Amino acid sequence: MVSKYEIFSTVVSSLYHDIQRIERTEMAKYGLKGPHAQYLVAMVRCPEGVTAAQLSELCDRDKAAVSRALSELEKRGLVIRELANDTAYRALLRLTETGSAAARFVCEKVTQAVDLAGRGLSDEERTLFYSVLHRIGSNLQSIAKDGLPELHKA
């Protein structure tokens, strides 16, 4: 018998790997890596600019990974850093024109991928799915932070 845990963990892991594979494939068209997709999409939501720390929080990635990715995006002319108080620390990051074009490409591709992934779902089913997914994510986040409660044996 397959347990709920096995089904849940296998499906979630498979979804994550498929998302990564799609990101890698599509970002390679721009000469970028898969994780860059998430950063570009997040930066589109912040046209006034975003700090590396904020981007780390928005994308739920560690600061070192964000810093490496931003360095690459900056080298490729997709992102520009506006120094705060003449330091790189807390610099405001903005998309360049080329970065905005790349971000629009990524947004179109992720929208297409999500639409295709939800093929056959009604609007109600999609709404319910995202609600349930958000609830499960929130519950898992609490468990990861606080740990599992101790089982009380009678």
Side-chain angles (χ1 to χ4, degrees):
M1 181 176 145
V2 178
S3 72
K4 288 185 226 177
Y5 167 76
E6 290 172 298
I7 293 168
F8 181 79
S9 63
T10 300
V11 170
V12 169
S13 179
S14 178
L15 290 170
Y16 181 67
H17 289 297
D18 289 339
I19 290 168
Q20 287 182 315
R21 188 176 305 118
I22 293 165
E23 286 175 340
R24 273 193 311 271
T25 300
E26 293 304 320
M27 294 310 293
K29 295 174 183 176
Y30 257 89
L32 298 170
K33 296 180 180 163
H36 293 132
Q38 197 175 23
Y39 304 131
L40 290 171
V41 169
M43 290 184 76
V44 166
R45 292 193 335 245
C46 303
E48 69 286 350
V50 63
T51 65
Q54 290 168 326
L55 196 57
S56 173
E57 191 171 311
L58 282 171
C59 298
D60 194 24
R61 302 283 180 137
D62 67 77
K63 291 176 187 175
V66 171
S67 185
R68 285 189 300 274
L70 288 172
S71 177
E72 180 68 25
L73 292 172
E74 195 173 12
K75 270 191 245 178
R76 293 183 177 269
L78 301 175
V79 170
I80 189 165
R81 242 177 247 271
E82 295 176 4
L83 301 182
N85 300 324
D86 295 327
T87 68
Y89 184 69
R90 294 190 185 166
L92 203 57
L93 301 150
R94 295 181 198 270
L95 292 170
T96 63
E97 269 189 57
T98 305
S100 291
R104 281 192 304 277
F105 169 82
V106 172
C107 287
E108 288 171 12
K109 288 299 188 174
V110 297
T111 298
Q112 180 185 18
V114 169
D115 288 346
L116 288 171
R119 219 176 356 201
L121 294 177
S122 68
D123 289 342
E124 295 81 21
E125 288 171 321
R126 190 181 302 268
T127 300
L128 178 60
F129 169 75
Y130 283 115
S131 174
V132 169
L133 188 62
H134 180 72
R135 169 94 42 94
I136 290 171
S138 179
N139 290 342
L140 286 173
Q141 190 173 40
S142 293
I143 293 166
K145 180 182 169 217
D146 302 332
L148 287 168
E150 293 297 321
L151 293 177
H152 299 288
K153 295 185 181 183

